[in-house]
PDB file of all heavy atoms in Angstrom:
ATOM      1  N   ASP A   1      -0.823  14.478  10.682  1.00  0.00           N
ATOM      2  CA  ASP A   1       0.513  14.443  11.342  1.00  0.00           C
ATOM      3  C   ASP A   1       1.047  13.036  11.482  1.00  0.00           C
ATOM      4  O   ASP A   1       2.274  12.845  11.570  1.00  0.00           O
ATOM      5  CB  ASP A   1       0.424  15.078  12.751  1.00  0.00           C
ATOM      6  CG  ASP A   1       0.092  16.554  12.668  1.00  0.00           C
ATOM      7  OD1 ASP A   1       0.527  17.219  11.672  1.00  0.00           O
ATOM      8  OD2 ASP A   1      -0.595  17.080  13.598  1.00  0.00           O
ATOM      9  N   HIS A   2       0.148  12.047  11.491  1.00  0.00           N
ATOM     10  CA  HIS A   2       0.562  10.639  11.665  1.00  0.00           C
ATOM     11  C   HIS A   2      -0.165   9.811  10.599  1.00  0.00           C
ATOM     12  O   HIS A   2      -1.189   9.203  10.913  1.00  0.00           O
ATOM     13  CB  HIS A   2       0.272  10.147  13.073  1.00  0.00           C
ATOM     14  CG  HIS A   2       0.814  11.041  14.172  1.00  0.00           C
ATOM     15  ND1 HIS A   2       2.154  11.062  14.498  1.00  0.00           N
ATOM     16  CD2 HIS A   2       0.207  11.952  14.966  1.00  0.00           C
ATOM     17  CE1 HIS A   2       2.340  11.924  15.465  1.00  0.00           C
ATOM     18  NE2 HIS A   2       1.163  12.486  15.756  1.00  0.00           N
ATOM     19  N   PRO A   3       0.334   9.761   9.391  1.00  0.00           N
ATOM     20  CA  PRO A   3      -0.407   9.105   8.265  1.00  0.00           C
ATOM     21  C   PRO A   3      -0.723   7.646   8.480  1.00  0.00           C
ATOM     22  O   PRO A   3      -1.690   7.130   7.942  1.00  0.00           O
ATOM     23  CB  PRO A   3       0.513   9.323   7.056  1.00  0.00           C
ATOM     24  CG  PRO A   3       1.397  10.478   7.451  1.00  0.00           C
ATOM     25  CD  PRO A   3       1.557  10.380   8.908  1.00  0.00           C
ATOM     26  N   LEU A   4       0.165   6.944   9.196  1.00  0.00           N
ATOM     27  CA  LEU A   4      -0.068   5.513   9.449  1.00  0.00           C
ATOM     28  C   LEU A   4      -0.520   5.227  10.880  1.00  0.00           C
ATOM     29  O   LEU A   4      -0.635   4.074  11.276  1.00  0.00           O
ATOM     30  CB  LEU A   4       1.215   4.719   9.160  1.00  0.00           C
ATOM     31  CG  LEU A   4       1.675   4.680   7.702  1.00  0.00           C
ATOM     32  CD1 LEU A   4       2.900   3.798   7.546  1.00  0.00           C
ATOM     33  CD2 LEU A   4       0.580   4.178   6.778  1.00  0.00           C
ATOM     34  N   GLY A   5      -0.818   6.285  11.609  1.00  0.00           N
ATOM     35  CA  GLY A   5      -1.268   6.100  12.994  1.00  0.00           C
ATOM     36  C   GLY A   5      -0.118   6.139  13.976  1.00  0.00           C
ATOM     37  O   GLY A   5       1.024   6.470  13.654  1.00  0.00           O
ATOM     38  N   VAL A   6      -0.428   5.746  15.222  1.00  0.00           N
ATOM     39  CA  VAL A   6       0.568   5.784  16.301  1.00  0.00           C
ATOM     40  C   VAL A   6       0.549   4.482  17.088  1.00  0.00           C
ATOM     41  O   VAL A   6      -0.413   3.708  17.032  1.00  0.00           O
ATOM     42  CB  VAL A   6       0.283   6.971  17.233  1.00  0.00           C
ATOM     43  CG1 VAL A   6       0.461   8.306  16.513  1.00  0.00           C
ATOM     44  CG2 VAL A   6      -1.098   6.878  17.885  1.00  0.00           C
ATOM     45  N   ASP A   7       1.604   4.281  17.832  1.00  0.00           N
ATOM     46  CA  ASP A   7       1.702   3.165  18.741  1.00  0.00           C
ATOM     47  C   ASP A   7       0.581   3.272  19.800  1.00  0.00           C
ATOM     48  O   ASP A   7       0.389   4.311  20.387  1.00  0.00           O
ATOM     49  CB  ASP A   7       3.099   3.240  19.436  1.00  0.00           C
ATOM     50  CG  ASP A   7       3.339   2.045  20.356  1.00  0.00           C
ATOM     51  OD1 ASP A   7       2.415   1.619  21.034  1.00  0.00           O
ATOM     52  OD2 ASP A   7       4.492   1.556  20.365  1.00  0.00           O
ATOM     53  N   PRO A   8      -0.199   2.189  19.996  1.00  0.00           N
ATOM     54  CA  PRO A   8      -1.368   2.304  20.886  1.00  0.00           C
ATOM     55  C   PRO A   8      -1.025   2.442  22.358  1.00  0.00           C
ATOM     56  O   PRO A   8      -1.961   2.704  23.156  1.00  0.00           O
ATOM     57  CB  PRO A   8      -2.110   0.978  20.621  1.00  0.00           C
ATOM     58  CG  PRO A   8      -1.069   0.038  20.148  1.00  0.00           C
ATOM     59  CD  PRO A   8      -0.109   0.871  19.351  1.00  0.00           C
ATOM     60  N   THR A   9       0.210   2.284  22.752  1.00  0.00           N
ATOM     61  CA  THR A   9       0.553   2.426  24.193  1.00  0.00           C
ATOM     62  C   THR A   9       1.383   3.673  24.460  1.00  0.00           C
ATOM     63  O   THR A   9       1.306   4.228  25.572  1.00  0.00           O
ATOM     64  CB  THR A   9       1.321   1.206  24.670  1.00  0.00           C
ATOM     65  OG1 THR A   9       2.500   1.021  23.864  1.00  0.00           O
ATOM     66  CG2 THR A   9       0.453  -0.040  24.582  1.00  0.00           C
ATOM     67  N   THR A  10       2.154   4.132  23.476  1.00  0.00           N
ATOM     68  CA  THR A  10       3.073   5.242  23.715  1.00  0.00           C
ATOM     69  C   THR A  10       2.768   6.444  22.814  1.00  0.00           C
ATOM     70  O   THR A  10       3.290   7.547  23.068  1.00  0.00           O
ATOM     71  CB  THR A  10       4.525   4.821  23.515  1.00  0.00           C
ATOM     72  OG1 THR A  10       4.718   4.416  22.152  1.00  0.00           O
ATOM     73  CG2 THR A  10       4.921   3.686  24.451  1.00  0.00           C
ATOM     74  N   GLY A  11       2.045   6.233  21.727  1.00  0.00           N
ATOM     75  CA  GLY A  11       1.754   7.330  20.824  1.00  0.00           C
ATOM     76  C   GLY A  11       2.899   7.634  19.859  1.00  0.00           C
ATOM     77  O   GLY A  11       2.876   8.699  19.209  1.00  0.00           O
ATOM     78  N   ARG A  12       3.865   6.777  19.753  1.00  0.00           N
ATOM     79  CA  ARG A  12       5.001   7.005  18.836  1.00  0.00           C
ATOM     80  C   ARG A  12       4.509   6.843  17.377  1.00  0.00           C
ATOM     81  O   ARG A  12       3.700   5.961  17.073  1.00  0.00           O
ATOM     82  CB  ARG A  12       6.154   6.065  19.108  1.00  0.00           C
ATOM     83  CG  ARG A  12       6.823   6.330  20.436  1.00  0.00           C
ATOM     84  CD  ARG A  12       7.905   5.333  20.769  1.00  0.00           C
ATOM     85  NE  ARG A  12       7.345   3.998  20.996  1.00  0.00           N
ATOM     86  CZ  ARG A  12       8.033   2.969  21.497  1.00  0.00           C
ATOM     87  NH1 ARG A  12       9.286   3.145  21.813  1.00  0.00           N
ATOM     88  NH2 ARG A  12       7.460   1.777  21.686  1.00  0.00           N
ATOM     89  N   ASP A  13       5.035   7.660  16.484  1.00  0.00           N
ATOM     90  CA  ASP A  13       4.574   7.677  15.084  1.00  0.00           C
ATOM     91  C   ASP A  13       4.989   6.380  14.373  1.00  0.00           C
ATOM     92  O   ASP A  13       6.160   5.996  14.322  1.00  0.00           O
ATOM     93  CB  ASP A  13       5.195   8.867  14.376  1.00  0.00           C
ATOM     94  CG  ASP A  13       4.705   9.007  12.946  1.00  0.00           C
ATOM     95  OD1 ASP A  13       3.534   9.465  12.762  1.00  0.00           O
ATOM     96  OD2 ASP A  13       5.426   8.627  12.017  1.00  0.00           O
ATOM     97  N   LEU A  14       3.994   5.695  13.783  1.00  0.00           N
ATOM     98  CA  LEU A  14       4.285   4.404  13.140  1.00  0.00           C
ATOM     99  C   LEU A  14       5.079   4.559  11.841  1.00  0.00           C
ATOM    100  O   LEU A  14       5.914   3.752  11.537  1.00  0.00           O
ATOM    101  CB  LEU A  14       2.975   3.664  12.835  1.00  0.00           C
ATOM    102  CG  LEU A  14       2.272   2.980  14.041  1.00  0.00           C
ATOM    103  CD1 LEU A  14       1.113   2.151  13.528  1.00  0.00           C
ATOM    104  CD2 LEU A  14       3.268   2.109  14.784  1.00  0.00           C
ATOM    105  N   LEU A  15       4.785   5.597  11.064  1.00  0.00           N
ATOM    106  CA  LEU A  15       5.492   5.795   9.809  1.00  0.00           C
ATOM    107  C   LEU A  15       6.964   6.002  10.081  1.00  0.00           C
ATOM    108  O   LEU A  15       7.845   5.403   9.374  1.00  0.00           O
ATOM    109  CB  LEU A  15       4.943   6.988   9.053  1.00  0.00           C
ATOM    110  CG  LEU A  15       5.637   7.362   7.740  1.00  0.00           C
ATOM    111  CD1 LEU A  15       5.613   6.185   6.744  1.00  0.00           C
ATOM    112  CD2 LEU A  15       5.007   8.599   7.128  1.00  0.00           C
ATOM    113  N   ALA A  16       7.307   6.810  11.060  1.00  0.00           N
ATOM    114  CA  ALA A  16       8.710   7.036  11.388  1.00  0.00           C
ATOM    115  C   ALA A  16       9.390   5.749  11.838  1.00  0.00           C
ATOM    116  O   ALA A  16      10.531   5.449  11.483  1.00  0.00           O
ATOM    117  CB  ALA A  16       8.840   8.112  12.472  1.00  0.00           C
ATOM    118  N   ARG A  17       8.681   4.927  12.635  1.00  0.00           N
ATOM    119  CA  ARG A  17       9.267   3.704  13.131  1.00  0.00           C
ATOM    120  C   ARG A  17       9.433   2.689  12.014  1.00  0.00           C
ATOM    121  O   ARG A  17      10.407   1.935  11.983  1.00  0.00           O
ATOM    122  CB  ARG A  17       8.381   3.147  14.247  1.00  0.00           C
ATOM    123  CG  ARG A  17       8.400   4.037  15.501  1.00  0.00           C
ATOM    124  CD  ARG A  17       7.527   3.478  16.618  1.00  0.00           C
ATOM    125  NE  ARG A  17       8.023   2.180  17.117  1.00  0.00           N
ATOM    126  CZ  ARG A  17       9.013   2.071  17.955  1.00  0.00           C
ATOM    127  NH1 ARG A  17       9.671   3.127  18.387  1.00  0.00           N
ATOM    128  NH2 ARG A  17       9.375   0.863  18.370  1.00  0.00           N
ATOM    129  N   VAL A  18       8.492   2.630  11.074  1.00  0.00           N
ATOM    130  CA  VAL A  18       8.633   1.721   9.958  1.00  0.00           C
ATOM    131  C   VAL A  18       9.807   2.078   9.067  1.00  0.00           C
ATOM    132  O   VAL A  18      10.570   1.231   8.611  1.00  0.00           O
ATOM    133  CB  VAL A  18       7.332   1.713   9.126  1.00  0.00           C
ATOM    134  CG1 VAL A  18       7.543   1.025   7.766  1.00  0.00           C
ATOM    135  CG2 VAL A  18       6.227   0.974   9.864  1.00  0.00           C
ATOM    136  N   LEU A  19      10.003   3.388   8.834  1.00  0.00           N
ATOM    137  CA  LEU A  19      11.106   3.815   7.991  1.00  0.00           C
ATOM    138  C   LEU A  19      12.480   3.559   8.656  1.00  0.00           C
ATOM    139  O   LEU A  19      13.420   3.129   7.985  1.00  0.00           O
ATOM    140  CB  LEU A  19      10.961   5.304   7.640  1.00  0.00           C
ATOM    141  CG  LEU A  19       9.775   5.658   6.750  1.00  0.00           C
ATOM    142  CD1 LEU A  19       9.701   7.152   6.507  1.00  0.00           C
ATOM    143  CD2 LEU A  19       9.856   4.920   5.411  1.00  0.00           C
ATOM    144  N   VAL A  20      12.587   3.845   9.944  1.00  0.00           N
ATOM    145  CA  VAL A  20      13.828   3.561  10.636  1.00  0.00           C
ATOM    146  C   VAL A  20      14.058   2.048  10.720  1.00  0.00           C
ATOM    147  O   VAL A  20      15.174   1.550  10.583  1.00  0.00           O
ATOM    148  CB  VAL A  20      13.827   4.183  12.042  1.00  0.00           C
ATOM    149  CG1 VAL A  20      15.074   3.780  12.807  1.00  0.00           C
ATOM    150  CG2 VAL A  20      13.752   5.695  11.943  1.00  0.00           C
ATOM    151  N   GLY A  21      12.961   1.285  10.912  1.00  0.00           N
ATOM    152  CA  GLY A  21      13.083  -0.182  10.920  1.00  0.00           C
ATOM    153  C   GLY A  21      13.529  -0.699   9.565  1.00  0.00           C
ATOM    154  O   GLY A  21      14.264  -1.694   9.483  1.00  0.00           O
ATOM    155  N   ALA A  22      13.127  -0.017   8.458  1.00  0.00           N
ATOM    156  CA  ALA A  22      13.553  -0.434   7.146  1.00  0.00           C
ATOM    157  C   ALA A  22      15.074  -0.291   7.009  1.00  0.00           C
ATOM    158  O   ALA A  22      15.740  -1.096   6.376  1.00  0.00           O
ATOM    159  CB  ALA A  22      12.852   0.400   6.082  1.00  0.00           C
ATOM    160  N   ARG A  23      15.625   0.779   7.586  1.00  0.00           N
ATOM    161  CA  ARG A  23      17.074   0.950   7.554  1.00  0.00           C
ATOM    162  C   ARG A  23      17.798  -0.255   8.160  1.00  0.00           C
ATOM    163  O   ARG A  23      18.723  -0.787   7.604  1.00  0.00           O
ATOM    164  CB  ARG A  23      17.462   2.219   8.344  1.00  0.00           C
ATOM    165  CG  ARG A  23      17.215   3.537   7.632  1.00  0.00           C
ATOM    166  CD  ARG A  23      17.764   4.683   8.488  1.00  0.00           C
ATOM    167  NE  ARG A  23      17.648   5.975   7.810  1.00  0.00           N
ATOM    168  CZ  ARG A  23      18.055   7.112   8.345  1.00  0.00           C
ATOM    169  NH1 ARG A  23      18.578   7.098   9.552  1.00  0.00           N
ATOM    170  NH2 ARG A  23      17.918   8.236   7.673  1.00  0.00           N
ATOM    171  N   ILE A  24      17.310  -0.637   9.350  1.00  0.00           N
ATOM    172  CA  ILE A  24      17.985  -1.749  10.057  1.00  0.00           C
ATOM    173  C   ILE A  24      17.796  -3.049   9.280  1.00  0.00           C
ATOM    174  O   ILE A  24      18.768  -3.813   9.090  1.00  0.00           O
ATOM    175  CB  ILE A  24      17.389  -1.859  11.472  1.00  0.00           C
ATOM    176  CG1 ILE A  24      17.693  -0.605  12.274  1.00  0.00           C
ATOM    177  CG2 ILE A  24      17.919  -3.104  12.182  1.00  0.00           C
ATOM    178  CD1 ILE A  24      17.082  -0.576  13.649  1.00  0.00           C
ATOM    179  N   SER A  25      16.598  -3.330   8.794  1.00  0.00           N
ATOM    180  CA  SER A  25      16.338  -4.580   8.081  1.00  0.00           C
ATOM    181  C   SER A  25      17.173  -4.662   6.802  1.00  0.00           C
ATOM    182  O   SER A  25      17.805  -5.693   6.515  1.00  0.00           O
ATOM    183  CB  SER A  25      14.868  -4.723   7.737  1.00  0.00           C
ATOM    184  OG  SER A  25      14.097  -4.934   8.941  1.00  0.00           O
ATOM    185  N   LEU A  26      17.170  -3.585   6.034  1.00  0.00           N
ATOM    186  CA  LEU A  26      17.928  -3.583   4.759  1.00  0.00           C
ATOM    187  C   LEU A  26      19.432  -3.634   5.025  1.00  0.00           C
ATOM    188  O   LEU A  26      20.169  -4.321   4.303  1.00  0.00           O
ATOM    189  CB  LEU A  26      17.575  -2.357   3.938  1.00  0.00           C
ATOM    190  CG  LEU A  26      16.133  -2.298   3.407  1.00  0.00           C
ATOM    191  CD1 LEU A  26      15.872  -0.963   2.716  1.00  0.00           C
ATOM    192  CD2 LEU A  26      15.894  -3.445   2.434  1.00  0.00           C
ATOM    193  N   LEU A  27      19.908  -2.946   6.061  1.00  0.00           N
ATOM    194  CA  LEU A  27      21.331  -2.968   6.375  1.00  0.00           C
ATOM    195  C   LEU A  27      21.781  -4.369   6.773  1.00  0.00           C
ATOM    196  O   LEU A  27      22.771  -4.890   6.269  1.00  0.00           O
ATOM    197  CB  LEU A  27      21.627  -1.985   7.497  1.00  0.00           C
ATOM    198  CG  LEU A  27      23.046  -2.030   8.091  1.00  0.00           C
ATOM    199  CD1 LEU A  27      24.075  -1.671   7.012  1.00  0.00           C
ATOM    200  CD2 LEU A  27      23.202  -1.111   9.283  1.00  0.00           C
ATOM    201  N   VAL A  28      21.044  -4.984   7.687  1.00  0.00           N
ATOM    202  CA  VAL A  28      21.406  -6.334   8.151  1.00  0.00           C
ATOM    203  C   VAL A  28      21.308  -7.311   6.994  1.00  0.00           C
ATOM    204  O   VAL A  28      22.235  -8.131   6.779  1.00  0.00           O
ATOM    205  CB  VAL A  28      20.525  -6.769   9.307  1.00  0.00           C
ATOM    206  CG1 VAL A  28      20.733  -8.231   9.662  1.00  0.00           C
ATOM    207  CG2 VAL A  28      20.751  -5.909  10.534  1.00  0.00           C
ATOM    208  N   ALA A  29      20.236  -7.261   6.209  1.00  0.00           N
ATOM    209  CA  ALA A  29      20.059  -8.215   5.111  1.00  0.00           C
ATOM    210  C   ALA A  29      21.117  -8.057   4.040  1.00  0.00           C
ATOM    211  O   ALA A  29      21.701  -9.034   3.544  1.00  0.00           O
ATOM    212  CB  ALA A  29      18.667  -8.064   4.513  1.00  0.00           C
ATOM    213  N   ALA A  30      21.405  -6.805   3.662  1.00  0.00           N
ATOM    214  CA  ALA A  30      22.413  -6.559   2.630  1.00  0.00           C
ATOM    215  C   ALA A  30      23.816  -6.955   3.049  1.00  0.00           C
ATOM    216  O   ALA A  30      24.563  -7.593   2.320  1.00  0.00           O
ATOM    217  CB  ALA A  30      22.390  -5.112   2.178  1.00  0.00           C
TER     218      ALA A  30
END
């Protein structure tokens, strides 16, 4: 269910956070 693991304090899915973070990084950079 969590291929890249979870946040060690809240349990939030790391894969989902990395992908959403990619949106922000690519949008700002482009």
